[in-house]
Amino acid sequence: MSPRFATDVVTFHHPGFWDLDSADAVRAWAADSPDRFWGRVLDTLAETEVTGIELTFAPGGIDSALGAFGSAEAFRRELADRGLAVVSAFVADSDAPDWRHGGNLPAIVADAERRAAFLAEVGAEVLVA
């Protein structure tokens, strides 16, 4: 499947979409309920012309998707069942090893490899760093 139009999951971080008061409240709720977070995100996308998503930082990141679905393959099936696909993932400072220090190179490479493996399993080809 080739997405015609994609959006970053950060689109769904707005508190008003969740009837919550703040971005912190969204993050806290989604951390406690990753399955409900992702279910609503994927269902909402399926109701629109948006067929692709870019994963981002929590709660719209790889770790949250794994928390909700258990594996990359299960996430891919949930996406496919709704006619959706992951097009890429974005690496943010907030959820990655500090790249400003050369001593972190092994951690940076391991993190990139982990993300790339997940993306390959869900059918995406781009890691934005």
Side-chain angles (χ1 to χ4, degrees), residues 39-97:
R40 181 154 183 218
V41 167
L42 299 183
D43 289 345
T44 299
L45 289 170
E47 295 170 3
T48 69
E49 295 292 320
V50 178
T51 56
I53 59 171
E54 176 177 67
L55 303 176
T56 191
F57 48 87
I62 291 170
D63 292 334
S64 176
L66 288 171
F69 300 104
S71 70
E73 181 57 36
F75 185 48
R76 185 176 186 165
R77 281 192 306 272
E78 289 288 331
L79 291 160
D81 287 350
R82 293 171 173 91
L84 304 170
V86 173
V87 296
S88 59
F90 173 80
V91 181
D93 282 347
S94 62
D95 69 346

Side-chain angles (χ1 to χ4, degrees), residues 4 12 61 124:
R4 294 181 323 149
F12 294 96

